């Protein structure tokens, strides 16, 4: 017997309280509509925005003319877009990219007016001009909070949305749980904006926050929306693998780019020499670095905790100490709030065991330049959206995307709501989802929720990391089929109502399992290597046959894939030929 | 080689799993768990939650000292669980100055 869900009404539901969700809600409220933000955690203390060490890209000319920074007037939105397209290995959606490049400055300006601190202008790898306005996620969230206080926005914290409600192909609301009270919720809404971020938690080694389990992509897929570029999760190289308490922290990578760390295998070799000998550790790109590190690890050339080694011991102490004094990232060897000396992580004394960790979700829910998905009434903004980053994200684009598409999705949803019918909720659909949500509370035998999560994450780590091949991907499908049978029988020990984290884990596991399947099937279909995906059985980038996106839809509960050629009118495509992934046929990852 | 060393901590537990703890009416309970190299308070909570008591309520998000969501009271002083190394005998409670929801989870000022 199920408890009756509580019903909440709003015009627009925004799922997620980070940069994209906050900005979207502001835009909806400015249009005089009711807006509700839900978040699994606490606004400002959850999602990936608060923890970002970030640059926000704007065209370099605007950096100079609008922001008074040392930008270059030769840059234009089109040349910025071409850099994004090249970094994304030509998988990006042209309309989405051009929208980002022409609108970024406007929304960054607004944040500065709300008090965001900026500390300078950077030129990240892959950028022809300096475009990165440097700030921090915390400062950006404070600015957005100031913007939100000028509007009427309702907030439901500790709230997980588990499914979207649809009627005649339109989105009419959502169901979920209030984690704080244990109540089931039905949210009646004329439109829904997804701002839930990526699905990096699918992997055991991850730089992202706890909440990032792919919820938005899953519920959109379940409601019939198209997903795109799901085969390209992005990995950041050189993240901590040990100690357990610091797993996924990114400082060895950050320090490597600042002072030039060496990445060594267990024989003490600087293995990047084999694959990117001119650029080496400091200047190689993140995709190549992650693949190189994975290759060393998979060939048993790593250490006991599964990583490679990052060492700064070739650098004199005086240089490290100078850097720790002047570099804003690690004053006095304190990174974030971690005192590296207290944690026996003094870079003058120890080599760190480190390696790739899931960092960003390049693909996601397919949107157009207005933030609209393929389902009426459903919008996506920020990391959950697909199309902006293609096969690899250019540094500084994550936050820019949140701001621009947060605002645009908000404005598109507001326009849609003005003519949308009253949401007509299908009671049978509500009952079905509520029963699924409550299943773990009554399940008596089956897989333990933690063991189940570990199996999902280990499967992701084994088969869909930075390097993949047909054999592994086929094995992965076999594992997924076993997990599918068990997913509905997950058991939890705690049946309490208030803040039952075990229940949330069980619900997230079902989401993660579906994302695992989608990534695996898309990776198997793509018979080439491109950007964040390297297939050892297809080591070239195939610009002849694979300048195509893979579009994923839910066809009666089955993952359906189709390819669509990339078409552009302003952005320049590469020559239609196969090219070696590392640029030269002499170099192959082995 | 397995590390056989253990560590003891006391953790504030609310009286009920089904209603919010409005009156700070709970008690401190002692747990003894295996010690792990450079173990933080957050790792202690993760370990207790996963292996000893699935009803323990605590909050975490970024795990790297930035979101500040894992603030707890450590022997009477508020500290971030993710970046503070654990010591034997520590007394861990809900962050001082906030309303409790349950165990170590407190209501943020923004919560209705």
């Amino acid at each position: 017997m199920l408890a009756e869900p509580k019903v909440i009404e709003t015009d627009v539901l925004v799922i997620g309280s980070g940069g994209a969700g906050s900005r979207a809600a502001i835009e909806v409220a400015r249009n005089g509509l009711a807006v509700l933000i839900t978040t699994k955690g606490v606004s400002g203390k959850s999602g990936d925005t608060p923890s970002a060490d970030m640059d926000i890209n704007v065209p370099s000319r605007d950096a100079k003319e609008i922001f008074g920074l040392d930008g270059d007037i030769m840059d234009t939105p089109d040349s910025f877009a071409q850099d994004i397209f090249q970094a994304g290995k030509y998988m990006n959606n042209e309309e989405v990219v051009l929208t980002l490049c022409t609108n970024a400055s406007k929304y960054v300006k607004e944040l500065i007016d709300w008090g965001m601190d900026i500390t300078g202008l950077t030129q990240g790898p892959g950028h022809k001009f300096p475009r990165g306005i440097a700030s921090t996620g915390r400062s950006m969230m404070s600015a957005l909070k100031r913007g939100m206080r000028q509007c009427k926005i309702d907030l439901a914290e500790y709230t997980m949305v588990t499914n979207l409600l649809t009627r005649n192909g339109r989105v009419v609301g959502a169901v979920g749980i209030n984690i704080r009270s244990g109540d089931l919720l039905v949210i009646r809404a004329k439109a829904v904006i997804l701002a839930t971020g990526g699905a990096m938690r699918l992997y055991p080694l991850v730089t992202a926050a706890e909440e990032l389990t792919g919820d938005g992509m899953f519920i959109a897929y379940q409601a019939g929306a198209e997903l795109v570029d799901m085969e390209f999760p992005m990995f950041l190289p050189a993240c901590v693998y040990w100690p357990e308490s610091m797993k996924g922290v990114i400082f060895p990578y950050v320090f490597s780019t600042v002072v030039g760390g060496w990445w060594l295998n267990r024989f003490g070799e600087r293995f990047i020499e084999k694959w990117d000998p001119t650029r080496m550790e400091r200047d190689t790109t993140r995709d190549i670095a992650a693949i190189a590190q994975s290759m060393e690890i998979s060939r048993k050339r790593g250490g006991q905790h599964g990583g490679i080694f990052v060492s700064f011991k070739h650098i004199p102490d005086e240089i490290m100490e100078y850097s720790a004094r002047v570099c804003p990232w690690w004053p006095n060897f304190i990174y974030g709030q971690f005192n590296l000396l207290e944690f026996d992580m003094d870079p003058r004394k120890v080599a760190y065991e480190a390696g790739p960790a899931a960092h960003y979700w390049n693909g996601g829910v397919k949107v157009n330049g207005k933030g609209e998905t393929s389902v009426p009434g459903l919008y996506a903004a920020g990391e959950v959206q697909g199309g902006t980053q293609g096969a690899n994200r250019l540094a500084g684009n994550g936050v820019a995307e949140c701001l621009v598409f947060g605002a645009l999705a908000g404005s598109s949803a507001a326009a849609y709501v003005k003519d949308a019918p009253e949401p007509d909720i299908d009671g049978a659909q509500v009952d079905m989802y509520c029963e699924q949500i409550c299943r773990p509370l009554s399940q008596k035998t089956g897989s333990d929720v933690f063991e189940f999560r570990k199996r999902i994450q280990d499967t992701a780590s084994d088969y869909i990391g930075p390097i993949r091949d047909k054999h592994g991907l086929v094995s992965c499908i076999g594992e997924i089929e076993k997990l599918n049978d068990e997913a509905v029988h997950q058991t939890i020990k705690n049946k309490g109502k208030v803040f039952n984290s075990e229940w949330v884990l069980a619900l997230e596991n079902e989401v993660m399992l579906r994302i695992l399947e989608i990534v695996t099937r898309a990776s198997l279909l793509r018979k080439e290597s491109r950007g964040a995906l390297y297939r050892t059985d297809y080591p070239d980038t195939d610009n002849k046959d694979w300048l195509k996106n893979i579009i994923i839809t839910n066809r009666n509960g089955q993952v359906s894939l189709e390819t669509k050629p990339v078409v552009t009118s302003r952005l320049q495509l590469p020559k239609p030929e196969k090219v070696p992934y590392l640029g030269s046929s002499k170099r192959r990852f082995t | 080689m397995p590390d056989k060393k253990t560590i003891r901590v006391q953790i504030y537990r609310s009286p009920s799993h089904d209603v919010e703890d409005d009156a700070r009416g709970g008690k401190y309970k002692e747990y003894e768990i295996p010690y792990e190299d450079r173990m933080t308070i957050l790792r202690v909570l993760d370990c207790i939650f996963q292996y000893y008591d699935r009803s323990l309520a605590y909050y975490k998000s970024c795990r790297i000292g930035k979101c500040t969501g894992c603030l707890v009271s450590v022997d009477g002083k508020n500290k971030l669980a993710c970046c503070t190394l654990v010591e034997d005998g520590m007394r861990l409670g809900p962050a001082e100055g906030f309303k409790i929801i349950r165990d170590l989870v407190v209501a943020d000022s923004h919560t209705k």
Side-chain angles (χ1 to χ4, degrees):
Chain A
M1 190 61 202
L2 298 176
E4 201 55 32
K6 296 208 164 154
V7 180
I8 304 174
E9 308 223 5
T10 187
D11 290 319
V12 179
L13 166 64
V14 177
I15 309 172
S17 63
S22 301
R23 187 60 192 80
I26 290 170
E27 203 63 26
V28 175
R30 280 178 178 172
N31 279 273
L33 297 168
V35 57
L36 170 70
I37 298 181
T38 60
T39 168
K40 287 196 278 187
V42 173
S43 164
K45 295 183 180 177
S46 62
D48 268 353
T49 308
S51 53
D53 288 328
M54 60 177 203
D55 301 336
I56 315 176
N57 290 336
V58 297
S60 200
R61 179 188 192 120
D62 290 353
K64 189 175 183 79
E65 293 181 346
I66 300 176
F67 302 100
L69 298 164
D70 199 14
D72 190 325
I73 56 161
M74 294 308 287
D75 193 21
T76 61
D78 270 29
S79 58
F80 177 20
Q82 187 65 37
D83 282 357
I84 295 176
F85 198 48
Q86 261 161 258
K89 309 292 176 201
Y90 315 102
M91 289 293 104
N92 326 56
N93 176 298
E94 180 180 62
E95 182 192 345
V96 170
V97 171
L98 291 172
T99 303
L100 178 77
C101 297
T102 45
N103 287 282
S105 301
K106 175 179 163 189
Y107 296 112
V108 175
K109 172 79 170 56
E110 185 185 58
L111 273 190
I112 293 170
D113 294 343
W114 286 330
M116 184 179 73
D117 300 322
I118 56 174
T119 53
L121 189 69
T122 64
Q123 182 169 0
H127 286 280
K128 287 196 192 73
F129 298 99
R131 301 187 179 111
I133 294 191
S135 183
T136 65
R138 290 209 68 77
S139 177
M140 174 173 161
M141 278 313 297
S142 306
L144 282 166
K145 288 219 160 181
R146 206 157 296 138
M148 287 198 283
R149 280 199 290 273
Q150 296 166 12
C151 315
K152 189 184 172 321
I153 294 169
D154 291 322
L155 179 61
E157 293 180 322
Y158 300 126
T159 298
M160 177 179 185
V161 169
T162 56
N163 311 87
L164 292 171
L165 294 168
T166 52
R167 179 75 114 181
N168 302 326
R170 284 173 188 257
V171 165
V172 291
V175 296
I177 59 169
N178 178 336
I179 299 164
R180 182 169 170 176
S181 66
D183 292 325
L184 294 171
L185 298 176
V186 169
I187 303 162
R188 276 166 60 98
K190 292 175 189 158
V192 175
I193 300 172
L194 305 169
T196 49
M200 287 74 75
R201 284 267 146 191
L202 177 56
Y203 295 90
L205 280 150
V206 47
T207 69
E210 293 284 330
E211 302 81 21
L212 285 273
T213 50
D215 304 8
M217 293 173 219
F218 170 74
I219 62 177
Y221 163 82
Q222 193 182 43
E226 293 177 340
L227 306 183
V228 67
D229 298 336
M230 292 292 280
E231 67 275 34
F232 299 117
M234 178 195 162
F235 298 87
L236 196 74
C239 301
V240 176
Y241 275 27
W242 192 259
E244 192 72 41
S245 52
M246 294 179 98
K247 250 186 181 174
V249 183
I250 70 172
F251 69 83
Y253 175 73
V254 176
F255 297 178
S256 294
T257 62
V258 176
V259 282
W262 283 357
W263 302 341
L264 307 171
N265 61 20
R266 69 187 172 92
F267 306 111
E269 296 161 338
R270 289 177 77 185
F271 52 84
I272 198 74
E273 217 158 24
K274 291 182 281 187
W275 297 314
D276 204 352
T278 44
R279 295 189 296 185
M280 298 298 281
E281 293 93 343
R282 200 159 81 171
D283 298 317
T284 189
T285 55
R286 301 184 287 192
D287 48 356
I288 290 175
I291 294 162
Q293 295 183 357
S294 288
M295 198 58 80
E296 289 302 303
I297 293 164
S298 73
R299 299 288 185 267
K300 313 279 182 230
R301 297 193 287 254
Q304 62 169 327
H305 301 294
I308 50 90
F309 297 90
V310 178
S311 171
F312 298 90
K313 292 199 213 173
H314 58 289
I315 298 170
D317 288 355
E318 289 79 359
I319 294 179
M320 294 306 286
E321 284 151 20
Y322 173 70
S323 176
R325 266 205 312 280
V326 300
C327 174
W329 302 111
W330 48 327
N332 302 313
F333 299 107
I334 295 171
Y335 180 81
Q337 303 271 333
F338 284 108
N339 183 331
L340 299 182
L341 308 186
E342 220 177 78
F343 277 78
D344 292 331
M345 295 290 262
D346 184 341
R348 292 164 297 186
K349 296 192 176 129
V350 298
Y352 305 129
E353 203 167 332
H359 182 60
Y360 185 83
W361 208 265
N362 289 316
V365 183
K366 191 172 187 297
V367 292
N368 62 15
K370 296 176 183 167
E372 295 167 336
T373 71
S374 54
V375 172
L378 184 63
Y379 302 81
E383 191 177 10
V384 71
Q385 79 184 66
T388 321
Q389 321 294 3
N392 196 21
R393 174 169 66 82
L394 195 58
N397 262 358
V399 178
E401 179 190 46
C402 286
L403 291 175
V404 170
F405 282 88
L408 293 178
S411 129
S412 302
Y416 168 86
V417 160
K418 283 175 184 155
D419 299 316
E422 276 304 306
D424 176 18
I425 290 196
D426 175 354
Q429 203 179 31
V430 171
D431 289 349
M432 177 183 75
Y433 287 140
C434 287
E435 202 184 309
Q436 287 175 11
I437 294 169
C438 292
R439 211 161 40 200
L441 293 172
S442 57
Q443 189 68 32
K444 292 197 174 62
T445 53
S447 314
D448 174 72
V449 69
F450 264 99
E451 286 164 24
F452 197 72
R453 172 158 298 199
K454 186 169 184 310
R455 282 170 59 201
I456 294 174
Q457 291 179 330
D458 287 348
T459 306
S461 173
D462 288 348
Y463 302 116
I464 57 164
I467 34 181
R468 289 163 233 175
D469 63 19
K470 183 180 172 184
H471 179 75
L473 292 166
V474 169
S475 305
C476 192
I477 302 273
E479 280 300 309
I480 291 164
E481 281 163 2
K482 281 186 231 161
L483 290 165
N484 277 340
D485 292 337
E486 293 174 42
V488 294
H489 303 299
Q490 291 182 74
T491 57
I492 60 177
K493 294 190 173 76
N494 174 24
K495 314 284 183 184
K497 282 174 69 80
V498 173
F499 216 90
N500 185 338
S501 310
E502 231 191 330
W503 188 17
V504 175
L505 289 176
L507 298 171
E508 288 173 345
N509 282 351
E510 295 198 35
V511 172
M512 289 160 61
L513 178 56
R514 201 55 50 233
I515 304 288
L516 171 67
E517 180 180 359
I518 290 167
V519 175
T520 307
R521 292 196 187 276
S523 306
L524 193 55
L525 182 61
R526 182 170 292 282
K527 292 178 179 57
E528 61 151 2
S529 293
R530 183 179 294 274
L533 167 62
Y534 188 79
R535 282 197 55 168
T536 49
D537 45 353
Y538 296 98
D540 293 334
T541 300
D542 184 353
N543 291 327
K544 185 166 163 285
D545 291 329
W546 273 104
L547 279 179
K548 291 172 185 165
N549 295 108
I550 297 176
I551 314 283
I552 295 117
T553 45
N554 173 11
R555 293 252 184 279
N556 307 316
Q558 299 297 313
V559 177
S560 161
L561 307 139
E562 60 175 318
T563 58
K564 273 195 187 154
V566 176
V567 179
T568 63
S569 56
R570 277 155 69 182
L571 297 175
Q572 215 180 331
L573 284 161
K575 278 190 213 147
E577 61 187 16
K578 271 194 188 181
V579 287
Y581 183 89
L582 289 170
S584 155
S585 55
K586 284 188 211 131
R587 284 193 297 276
R588 284 269 156 87
F589 286 115
T590 47
Chain B
M1 199 179 69
D3 194 346
K4 292 215 179 86
K5 204 175 140 195
T6 62
I7 192 150
R8 285 166 307 136
V9 291
Q10 292 175 8
I11 299 181
Y12 175 86
R13 300 305 308 269
S14 296
S16 168
H17 301 162
D18 295 316
V19 289
E20 289 193 23
D21 182 4
D22 291 328
R24 289 207 176 222
K27 290 187 175 122
Y28 281 83
K29 185 176 169 191
E30 189 167 278
Y31 296 86
E32 184 168 359
I33 60 163
Y35 180 73
E36 162 191 291
D37 181 20
R38 286 162 282 180
M39 195 172 206
T40 54
I41 291 170
L42 185 58
R43 285 293 305 155
V44 169
L45 300 176
D46 283 341
C47 174
I48 293 171
F49 177 59
Q50 183 169 356
Y51 299 106
Y52 294 80
D53 189 345
R54 296 284 175 87
S55 69
L56 177 67
Y58 62 107
Y59 184 91
K60 56 178 173 172
S61 176
C62 79
R63 309 167 350 276
I64 56 170
K66 294 196 176 172
C67 77
T68 71
C70 64
L71 196 72
V72 291
S73 164
V74 181
D75 297 328
K77 267 179 82 176
N78 284 355
K79 291 183 178 172
L80 295 183
C82 64
C83 297
T84 308
L85 290 165
V86 70
E87 285 167 30
D88 197 48
M90 268 182 173
R91 200 172 154 91
L92 310 174
E96 307 289 336
F98 293 86
K99 181 188 169 310
I100 307 184
I101 294 179
R102 192 165 75 73
D103 297 343
L104 302 180
V105 180
V106 294
D108 194 80
S109 53
H110 306 288
T111 310
K112 283 180 194 157

